[in-house]
Every structure is written in structure tokens, then in C-alpha cells.
Amino acid sequence: MATLELLERTEREASAQWGSEFPAEPVVETVEEQQGPLLSGEGLVAGAVDDDPSVITKALEDEERRETFSHFQTLQCSHSKDSRLVSLSNADAPAREAFHMLAVRLNDLKRTRGLKSLLITSTIPGEGKSLVAANLASSLGGGERERVLLLDGDLRRPSQSQLFGLAKVPGLINYLQGERSLTACLYHLPEAGIWMLPAGNNPNNSAELIQSQQLPKLMDTLSGWFDWIVIDSPPVLPVVDTSVWARLADGVLLIARHGTTKKRKLQKGLEALDPSKLIGALLNASKSANDNDYYSYLSPSEASRQSDSGRR
């Protein structure tokens, strides 16, 4: 109970930092189908305001991005029917709906606060942060209107390729070491509706690579290409890598696991994070649902109700 109370307090503080509470019943806005490309072989097509610099600039950026994405390789996921990637394999799981609701709420924050790059971390290993990152990225990218990148930033213990059943392929490490171009390290996973930048080969100098001056430049480039960047980082306490990722991300989502996370460790993890970046906490393996893999997002209003219920 002490751990849950700490999570509830964290949620209330995050709510005060990031604005008003998430809506109890979030509404997904409908968006008209996007228009076709604004550029043709002869220049701007009819209907475009060809004397408006912003229209021309946007058209050029869209065309450049389409050209860039055409160079990414496509990989097919290979996961079992009982995979814990509930966003792909189990349409009836309560966890699937939980991730969908979280994706809706995050998109609301994106519209109001400019949130684009999201760091997923935990206090210690074994709390399920990598599974949360994979499922959340797939939920954000499920509509295929958004270009979502899942970035495996846990260079010491990468797991995203294995979760999606992918062969070992070059990734972030190979790019930072100058062995591969960036486009040769990015992959489209059409079944999941996302793109992935895997960790690549395990290096002996992961700390040096994470602190490389190339990393901020890389994030700037990726932010121009993708609508969402979900970063699976190492846990907060064992290593310093997470502090680097946290500085580069727009927001941080902290994962705790029911029955595993201890209040003392959680408190230390919270103290290690920048409060201005922390947008909330997610309780993994919550026993509030019948499904053992249920992921419960403790919104400020939900946390308040649970806290009031616990005092009665």
C-alpha cells in the first residue's frame, strides 16, 4: 500500500506540472483523410497556394520525408499466439484496451503540450518497462496516421528485437560507432504499424556511446521524421544512461510493478528524475483486473479515488 500511495502522490504532482487532469472519458477526434502529395513532377499541384512560403516549405518537407522513408527496410514480426505483446496478439485482453486509453491520453498531451519523445523507464530491472514500451508504441501507431518510432535505448540489455521476434540486425550502436548510416538502421514493422531503431550489437563502451555528442543530433533528426518517439531506456537506479535519455526526451513515464516495486527504491527513482519531465506512472501487473498482464495507468482522478477508497 505504501508503494501505491507514493505512486498516487507522484501522479498528483505530475498533473499539477503538466496541466489539468486527463479527461475521464477521452474523445478521439476524427480527422479527414490527408490530401495527396502537394508536389508533382511539374511543381505544386492545382489547389495549393503557390505564393504561400509556408505551404511550399511544408510540401517540400513532406516530399523529403517520403523519400527518406522509402529507404528503410521492412521486417516481419514473428511472435507466438501467447505473446505478451497484447497490442498485436490478443484483441480481447483488458491490457489492450488499457494501452489504447493511455495512447488517447498521451495524444491529448501531445496536442496541448507539444509532447513527442517519450521515455519509458523503471526504478529497477524486472518491472516490465520494455513490454510497456513495445505495447504503447504499437498502440500509438495502430491507426497508421502517426509515424511512431520505437527506439531501444537500453544498450546494455536490449530486448525489443526479441520481443517482436526479429533477427539480430544493425541498430543504434552501429550508427553511433559510424558503421552504418541511419537509414540502414531503421526498420518498418507493418504488422505493428511502427518503425524501430533497435539497439544493434552489444558494445563494450555503451556508456561512452550514450554520452556521445551524436545522440542529441540524432534525436533532432528523428524528431523531424516521426510523430512519436517511444524510448525504451535502462532502469533509473543501476546505471546513469537513463539520465542522458531523460534530458533528450520531452516526457518520462515511470513503470512500477505490483508486488515487486518497493517504496524505498521507487522513492530513489523518483528523486533521480527531473520532476518537470515526469508525466505520470503506470502500474504494471495490477490485480485490479482478471488478466495477470493488465497494465493500469493511474491518472490523477483514478489515483484520488483509490486513495479515498483506501482510507474508508
Side-chain angles (χ1 to χ4, degrees):
M1 181 59 69
T3 299
L4 183 57
E5 291 173 353
L6 181 56
L7 283 173
E8 293 169 354
R9 189 181 70 196
T10 300
E11 280 297 332
R12 289 192 291 271
E13 293 173 352
S15 176
Q17 174 66 35
W18 284 81
S20 60
E21 295 183 358
F22 290 123
E25 296 180 1
V27 178
V28 182
E29 296 181 357
T30 57
V31 181
E32 296 181 358
E33 291 294 327
Q34 294 182 353
Q35 301 297 318
L38 293 175
L39 293 181
S40 67
E42 300 300 324
L44 291 175
V45 299
V49 184
D50 55 10
D51 60 346
D52 186 339
S54 64
V55 172
I56 297 174
T57 300
K58 179 64 165 57
L60 291 171
E61 289 175 349
D62 289 346
E63 184 70 11
E64 181 180 358
R65 189 160 73 159
R66 280 191 292 272
E67 174 64 22
T68 299
F69 274 62
S70 69
H71 294 290
F72 300 157
Q73 299 179 52
T74 297
L75 297 178
Q76 298 300 320
C77 302
S78 176
H79 54 88
S80 62
K81 293 182 179 180
D82 59 350
S83 168
R84 296 175 71 188
L85 290 176
V86 295
S87 55
L88 301 183
S89 61
N90 192 344
D92 298 324
R96 182 185 178 96
E97 181 61 22
F99 279 113
H100 171 72
M101 295 299 293
L102 178 56
V104 170
R105 293 171 178 181
L106 288 171
N107 274 310
D108 181 65
L109 273 183
K110 180 182 178 183
R111 288 191 294 270
T112 58
R113 297 296 298 267
L115 180 68
K116 174 177 281 193
S117 55
L118 180 63
L119 183 72
I120 310 296
T121 190
S122 60
T123 54
I124 58 174
E127 294 176 310
K129 64 170 182 63
S130 295
L131 273 170
V132 169
N135 279 298
L136 179 56
S138 299
S139 297
L140 287 167
E144 296 187 359
R145 290 182 180 276
E146 301 275 292
R147 285 189 170 98
V148 178
L149 174 68
L150 176 58
L151 191 160
D152 195 342
D154 193 345
L155 303 188
R156 301 169 191 263
R157 298 180 61 183
S159 59
Q160 292 301 332
S161 292
Q162 182 179 1
L163 286 175
F164 284 89
L166 306 177
K168 197 168 186 178
V169 292
L172 178 60
I173 293 168
N174 306 91
Y175 170 73
L176 293 177
Q177 292 182 154
E179 300 170 357
R180 297 277 184 137
S181 67
L182 181 55
T183 54
C185 297
L186 285 160
Y187 307 89
H188 185 211
L189 310 183
E191 182 182 358
I194 63 173
W195 285 259
M196 180 186 290
L197 176 54
N201 300 323
N202 295 344
N204 296 322
N205 60 337
S206 60
E208 295 178 11
L209 291 176
I210 288 295
Q211 297 180 45
S212 166
Q213 294 300 315
Q214 290 179 275
L215 200 57
K217 298 177 182 178
L218 169 65
M219 291 301 296
D220 287 342
T221 299
L222 295 175
S223 293
W225 290 351
F226 293 94
D227 303 300
W228 275 107
I229 303 173
V230 179
I231 306 167
D232 177 14
S233 85
V236 175
L237 297 182
V239 294
V240 298
D241 299 8
T242 308
S243 63
V244 177
W245 284 118
R247 288 197 298 270
L248 297 174
D250 298 326
V252 177
L253 185 62
L254 183 67
I255 310 304
R257 187 175 185 88
H258 182 86
T260 299
T261 305
K262 303 301 181 183
K263 181 179 179 181
R264 182 172 57 86
K265 293 287 188 181
L266 179 59
Q267 184 65 58
K268 287 185 177 180
L270 290 169
E271 292 171 355
L273 294 171
D274 181 353
S276 67
K277 293 289 187 76
L278 187 63
I279 64 172
L282 186 148
L283 184 61
N284 185 8
S286 169
K287 292 186 178 180
S288 62
N290 294 327
D291 194 303
N292 289 331
D293 291 330
Y294 185 77
Y295 300 87
S296 173
Y297 179 73
L298 295 177
S299 71
S301 59
E302 292 165 345
S304 177
R305 287 196 297 270
Q306 290 191 23
S307 179
D308 291 342
S309 175
R311 286 194 291 267
R312 287 197 293 265

